[in-house]
Amino acid sequence: MAAAPTGPTAPLPAWLALLRWDKPSGRLILLIPAGWSLWLLPTAPPQSALVGWIVLGGLAVSGAGCIANDLWDRRIDPLVERTRSRPLADGRVGVGEAIGLLLLSLVVALAVLLVLMWGLPAASRNLSLLLAIAALPPVLLYPSAKRWFAFPQAVLALCWGFAVLIPWAAASGNLSGGWPLALTWLAAVLWTFGFDTVYAMADRDDDRGLGVRSSALSLGDRAPLTVTVCYGLTALALAGAAGQAGVGWPFWPL
């Protein structure tokens, strides 16, 4: 008789699900703010090579973030309706495999950063590196924020703000973008807080029972209004950024 397996073995689909690469819309929520930044630059449109490297880096970073989040929540996710079918929660992927895939994603992200830095002028290179380092604390804090902070979605929003700042710095070598950059950053922060609050609204009953914090629980009945205001201000901020950047009329229907 064949011996029983000693642990989960993860086929490729389970690894892709752990990285969330099986859900393209989930990856767009990180790449879209980077696109706002790149196409509102004074030198837009950006170089295709820069766009390609940022897309690859964004996929690696977002995948690493998803794995880190699932590792933190591997005992909570099986108890939450929306997350119980995730690969770590349902046992399709083991902790060791997840850690290995996390390290691989971080190596890819670091390699992309090094390639970008190699081809950039010194000013762009140094500023991009400083921003990447500055992004680490909120990225590392976010998976645990729901255990100690009433609005963990605000921490994620700060993380997403770097998706605007780093491409801008890589392309221009500075953050002196004035209102276009400031309003684009604000739009990314507001949009992220809004959409992650929507996710949290779906988890309210489970989170309340587990003692997990979220903006949906903290805002209570005001959560739908807050999301509406966030989305409305996002649209206004993007409109202001585009107007200040001198974007032509074809932008507005889009």
Side-chain angles (χ1 to χ4, degrees), residues 100-176:
L101 200 54
L102 171 61
L103 294 175
L104 179 60
S105 298
L106 292 174
V107 168
V108 172
L110 177 61
V112 169
L113 179 62
L114 292 175
V115 169
L116 273 174
M117 289 174 58
W118 182 264
L120 293 175
S124 299
R125 184 166 59 242
N126 295 337
L127 184 55
S128 298
L129 180 59
L130 286 174
L131 288 171
I133 294 172
L136 283 177
V139 168
L140 294 175
L141 278 175
Y142 172 66
S144 69
K146 66 179 71 174
R147 293 164 173 80
W148 51 267
F149 185 41
F151 296 92
Q153 284 66 32
V155 180
L156 183 68
L158 289 177
C159 298
W160 250 241
F162 284 96
V164 169
L165 300 178
I166 292 176
W168 190 288
S172 65
N174 60 69
L175 291 179
S176 58

Side-chain angles (χ1 to χ4, degrees), residues 7 31 39 46 58-60 79 83 96 117-118 125 128 135 144 170 187 239 252 254:
L31 297 177
W39 266 271
L59 289 172
L79 306 176
T83 60
M117 289 174 58
W118 182 264
R125 184 166 59 242
S128 298
S144 69
W252 300 105
L254 295 175

Side-chain angles (χ1 to χ4, degrees), residues 15-107:
W15 288 338
L16 293 177
L18 183 63
L19 290 160
R20 310 284 201 276
W21 287 357
D22 61 329
K23 299 178 179 178
S25 60
R27 307 289 58 79
L28 288 175
I29 59 176
L30 180 60
L31 297 177
I32 283 176
W36 294 342
S37 178
L38 288 171
W39 266 271
L40 287 175
L41 279 162
T43 55
Q47 296 180 356
S48 57
L50 177 62
V51 175
W53 284 116
I54 286 176
V55 168
L56 179 58
L59 289 172
V61 169
S62 63
C66 291
I67 296 173
N69 185 73
D70 286 5
L71 284 167
W72 269 98
D73 292 346
R74 65 185 183 276
R75 294 183 176 87
I76 293 178
D77 282 347
L79 306 176
V80 177
E81 180 66 29
R82 184 173 63 88
T83 60
R84 64 182 48 171
S85 61
R86 288 177 176 175
L88 265 173
D90 65 12
R92 284 178 291 154
V93 175
V95 172
E97 292 168 301
I99 292 174
L101 200 54
L102 171 61
L103 294 175
L104 179 60
S105 298
L106 292 174
V107 168

